[in-house]
Amino acid sequence: MNIWLVMLLGGLITFGMRFSLIYLFGRFQVPETMRKALHYVPPAVLSAIIFPELFLREGALDLSLDNARLLAGLVAIVVAWFSKNTLITIIAGVVALFLLQFLLFPR
Amino acid sequence: MSEQIKNFWAGVQAEIPLLIGVFPFGLIYGALALNAGLSTAAAQMMSSIVFAGSAQFITAQLVHEAAPGFVILLTIAVVNLRHMLYSASLAPYLASIPTRWKVLLSYLLTDEAYAPTILHYEKEGITPHAHWFLLGAGFSLWFNWQISTALGIFLGAAIPESWSLDFALPLTFIAMVVPVLKNRAAIAAALSAGIVALFAFSLPYKLGLILAALVGILVGTILEGRESPGEAL
């Protein structure tokens, strides 16, 4: 699918959700279960993206110590935990990856 | 000053602290969207067509992974489902405005516009010009998002390609996810989704992502039912 079509449909979906209950006021209530489930969308979706990025190399599980992305990711998790700051976390992770690649695979 | 303008500026003022927090995200989005392979025009237009921060980051990542369109759309739908809650919660305060206003304000209804607006509405109750407050909050955030995206694209274009910043997107997601891991149910949701994502990685069309997300949401919801209510959030 063309990226512009994806963006257009993605925009329509997003708009539709924002508009839905303002428009349907009183005619539909959000079920309690869905209300609860929504708390878990961010941890679930984000982790589903993060884990393969850290643990897989060319599609195969790599738990070894020369998996630089995994180690740099762990550094970023610790930094995120203490700093609560996006920019600092990104910089720490990128620097960690750079240093680890240099240490593990010196040219 | 008319009541309308007064409400509009009150909305802008309430939004200012959030603008400061959102600006770096726009920068990062703009820079990383280019790096993920989006064109300058697509990266910029996504900020006005989709106008939803986390969904835009995830779309950039999925474009980078060459995920098919329907999987990207499904993910956007899951990620943005929370906007239905905002829509439901603001509805009573916006019940009497014309539909064209409802359309405009829905387009502007982001997390960061919702937060100060609902606080204001709960304090003030239902008032005739309340929609101007949301317009002020929503429009100032929209403007801020377009400018920060543009600046991010500009900076991103200056970063040499040899730097290979593709790891910065997962790092952004790490920075987003760590603060929401506040209780056991959320941690379990994250771990179960992550592990399923590893095992389901080879499923066609990147459907493993959707499956993993659904398992994580299910695990979190079931566990929350067992913990004392109010512990989650």
Side-chain angles (χ1 to χ4, degrees):
Chain A
M1 212 185 296
N2 179 296
I3 178 66
W4 290 94
L5 186 60
V6 170
M7 289 198 317
L8 200 67
L9 294 175
L12 277 174
I13 290 169
T14 306
F15 171 78
M17 287 171 172
R18 290 168 172 168
F19 186 60
S20 59
L21 298 175
I22 289 178
Y23 184 69
L24 290 174
F25 175 54
R27 273 169 285 175
F28 177 80
Q29 299 278 327
V30 180
E32 191 52 38
T33 319
M34 183 175 141
R35 217 173 263 272
K36 257 193 201 174
L38 284 172
H39 291 309
Y40 301 101
V41 171
V45 172
L46 295 174
S47 304
I49 295 175
I50 295 165
F51 271 54
E53 287 283 340
L54 300 186
F55 288 99
L56 300 184
R57 209 144 57 161
E58 278 146 33
L61 198 61
D62 181 357
L63 294 171
S64 68
L65 277 178
D66 58 356
N67 182 351
R69 286 187 169 227
L70 176 56
L71 297 177
L74 293 176
V75 169
I77 289 170
V78 173
V79 171
W81 184 268
F82 287 104
S83 73
K84 311 266 181 231
N85 182 305
T86 310
L87 209 54
I88 292 175
T89 304
I90 295 173
I91 292 169
V94 168
V95 170
L97 181 66
F98 181 77
L99 291 176
L100 284 162
Q101 279 174 338
F102 186 72
L103 287 172
L104 295 171
F105 312 102
R107 266 166 264 171
Chain B
M1 208 171 7
S2 72
E3 279 301 306
Q4 286 94 323
I5 303 293
K6 228 187 267 177
N7 270 287
F8 179 85
W9 280 112
V12 173
Q13 269 176 14
E15 191 63 37
I16 287 172
L18 289 104
L19 297 183
I20 298 164
V22 166
F23 198 85
F25 266 103
L27 285 182
I28 297 167
Y29 161 73
L32 297 188
L34 279 198
N35 206 268
L38 270 86
S39 69
T40 309
Q44 181 69 51
M45 286 305 286
M46 185 155 35
S47 277
S48 43
I49 295 176
V50 181
F51 186 42
S54 42
Q56 290 180 223
F57 276 98
I58 290 169
T59 302
Q61 168 75 20
L62 293 180
V63 167
H64 184 65
E65 293 180 19
F70 81 94
V71 168
I72 300 180
L73 291 176
L74 219 58
T75 311
I76 292 178
V78 172
V79 168
N80 281 339
L81 210 53
R82 67 183 187 287
H83 289 103
M84 283 182 77
L85 288 184
Y86 306 159
S87 190
S89 127
L90 293 180
Y93 302 96
L94 305 172
S96 60
I97 59 174
T99 303
R100 59 175 194 282
W101 264 95
K102 291 181 180 171
V103 169
L104 173 65
L105 293 180
S106 299
Y107 168 68
L108 293 173
L109 181 56
T110 54
D111 305 69
E112 291 82 4
Y114 169 76
T117 301
I118 191 63
L119 288 178
H120 177 79
Y121 286 179
E122 282 176 353
K123 205 172 79 196
E124 301 293 322
I126 296 172
T127 57
H129 302 297
H131 49 297
W132 286 85
F133 185 96
L134 177 54
L135 182 68
F139 177 74
S140 51
L141 184 84
W142 182 88
F143 188 72
N144 180 66
W145 188 244
Q146 307 309 317
I147 298 288
S148 56
T149 299
L151 202 60
I153 291 173
F154 181 73
L155 292 173
I159 298 172
E161 270 184 43
S162 60
W163 281 23
S164 161
L165 280 184
D166 62 324
F167 194 50
L169 259 176
L171 289 170
T172 311
F173 298 135
I174 287 176
M176 288 173 171
V177 78
V178 168
V180 302
L181 302 177
K182 282 186 215 149
N183 55 53
R184 274 187 303 168
I187 294 169
L191 288 179
S192 52
I195 291 167
V196 172
L198 293 180
F199 287 103
F201 188 74
S202 51
L203 285 186
Y205 311 119
K206 299 269 167 201
L207 279 172
L209 169 68
I210 306 282
L211 178 70
L214 293 178
V215 168
I217 293 164
L218 194 67
V219 166
T221 312
I222 291 170
L223 280 183
E224 182 186 324
R226 293 184 180 177
E227 287 179 17
S228 61
E231 203 175 328
L233 247 176

